[in-house]
Structure formats: C-alpha cells, structure tokens
Amino acid sequence: MNLNFLVRALETAGERALESFKVRNDNLVLGIKTAYLEEKSPRELVIREDIMCQKIIIDAILSEKPKAKIYSEESDNLHELEADTSTLKYIIDPLDGTHNFYFGVPYWGLSIGILDKDNYPIGGVIYLPCMGILLKNEGTNLPTMIKLKEGWQRVSTVPRNLNKALVCYDNQFYKFGLEASSIYERLTHEAFTTRITGSAVADAALIATGRVNARIWNNTMSYDIAAGMAVVRGAGGKITGFTGEKINAMEPKVVMSSDASIHLSLLKLISKK
C-alpha cells in the first residue's frame, strides 16, 4: 500500500493541532480558562481539536478514496466495525491523549490504522507532533519507517529484559477493577520502571522507535491500538492478548512489546494470582 496520502493528512491535522496546543498553553500560563466541547462520558472529554482533526483526516481520505469505509473515535459508527467484513477499512484516532492535550502535557498523537476484513491491522500511520515523530507501515510484511530530514528510514524496537525495561500501563484504574491494579503492582516490582502516560498512540510509537519496551491495556478500544499494532509489528515488536493468543484490533486486553523475550515475561506476570 502507498499511504503517503494518509501521511499528508496526519501532517496537516497534526500541525493544526500543534498550533492550537501552543495557544492553549499560553492561555494556561496567563490563567485564561481553556474550553472543551463536552464530557462525552464520565471523566472523558471531547475538545474542539478532536473534531477539527477528525474532519481534516476524513476529508483527506475521501478525496483520495471516495468510497472508503471510515471509522473514528469521535464518530457514531464504531458499533458497526466488528461486523464489517469490507476488505479494507480505515480507523482513526484523531487526537489520542485528549486529556494530556487539554491540560497542556505534550504527550499526544494522531493515528490512522488500516484493517482487513477480519479487522486485523495491515498498515498504519502515527504522528506525534510535539516530538516530531512520524511513522508509517505500509503492509503486513513490510518494515516500519520514520520520516527524517534525510527521508524515510527504517526503525526497530530495542529488546531489553524486564528488569531493565520501561513499561507503560493503563491510566483509568477506576474503570478496570482489582485485577488491573494487581497486575500493575506486580509490574512495578519486576520492571526497571513504569509510566502511565495517557496516550496509547504515543506509547506504541515509542515502542517502535526503541524508547519504550512495552504497553499493557486492560480494556482498550480498536481506534487506540489499530495503527500501533501495525507500526510496532513492522518494527520487530510483538502483540498478543493476555494469554499469548493472536488478536485483531477488537481485542480489549492487549500486550504490546519490543521483543518476544520481554513479551513472555509480561504474560507470565499477568497470569500470576
């Protein structure tokens, strides 16, 4: 697949979002209240930049592929995705890390995943504007590439043992119950260090580029992981469910790792009671 039109869409949306992010931060410094559109569910914000980025990305896809099947975090059709057997679908997270964005934390990103008829990720693009990281994977057996001044270059994960690794985790424990808290407690004892960052897309990008070694999700959504699954896989990483099973983008319990060794360690940690 040639995903350059998706790259351009994310660049356009991402730069617009970055401009707005800087304005919001200036307002925070000055004590000016920043606005959000609504609280779509308890402790879940939608801000105007979510909708702005979604529109830019969807318009760009439809201009290139007028009949494209498109799903997005902020759309009302996600309930149709699981049963959709179209041979190719686009799934968008127009602004992942909305709460980080709203509170002025520069850890957020945009993503577009490409799914096959079984909702398995076969490609994806991720952009982290604050970090200048732009990644693409254009097919199941193709490497993940990063855009640099010199052009597109291949990226790879960096293997580390769990006791030397940085592992990211979920942030909304109030939703997940005691099991998620127990897993995280065990993880803090066995990993070198852990982070709760608030952006699935950014965590995946940092796994693919060798900064982070793993991310665990206890109850994620398809738009959070679709692009990341393709990008991390193409960089040499591993993605499964909690028992090591192969998964598609509809699986809520996900382990994403830099390599098979740390992945096995995490699966063993998760299975402990």
Side-chain angles (χ1 to χ4, degrees), residues 204-220:
L206 296 197
I207 294 171
T209 53
R211 278 87 152 175
V212 171
N213 287 98
R215 170 65 140 97
I216 297 172
W217 289 270
N218 286 275
N219 189 20
T220 191

Side-chain angles (χ1 to χ4, degrees), residues 15-41:
E15 295 309 313
R16 287 278 303 278
L18 185 58
E19 291 172 7
S20 183
F21 181 72
K22 292 175 180 177
V23 171
R24 281 180 175 269
N25 281 354
D26 289 344
N27 288 342
L28 286 170
V29 170
L30 295 172
I32 300 171
K33 185 178 180 180
T34 57
Y36 61 85
L37 288 177
E38 62 178 336
E39 193 169 349
K40 62 183 178 182
S41 60

Side-chain angles (χ1 to χ4, degrees), residues 15 24 44 56 97 110 113-114 117 127 188 194 204 210 224-225 249 258 268:
E15 295 309 313
R24 281 180 175 269
E44 288 286 350
I56 291 170
L110 304 81
I114 298 94
K117 64 181 180 63
Y127 185 30
T188 61
T194 63
D224 284 327
I225 58 169
S258 57
K268 289 179 178 178

Side-chain angles (χ1 to χ4, degrees), residues 3-19 49-50 52-61 63 70-72 90-96 101 108-114 123-130 132-137 145 147 152 201-202 205 223 226-228 231:
L3 301 186
N4 287 337
F5 74 102
L6 299 183
V7 169
R8 292 191 296 270
L10 283 197
E11 286 182 309
T12 300
E15 295 309 313
R16 287 278 303 278
L18 185 58
E19 291 172 7
E49 289 84 358
D50 285 301
M52 175 188 74
C53 290
Q54 176 174 269
K55 184 177 188 311
I56 291 170
I57 295 167
I58 289 177
D59 286 352
I61 293 173
S63 68
I70 302 173
Y71 296 87
S72 176
Y90 300 90
I91 183 162
I92 303 165
D93 199 336
L95 181 54
D96 182 63
F101 192 104
W108 47 271
L110 304 81
S111 74
I112 307 171
I114 298 94
V125 183
I126 292 176
Y127 185 30
L128 311 184
C130 291
I133 296 175
L134 180 57
L135 302 168
K136 68 175 180 178
N137 179 271
M145 312 294 285
K147 189 177 183 182
W152 291 97
V201 164
Y223 49 78
V231 164

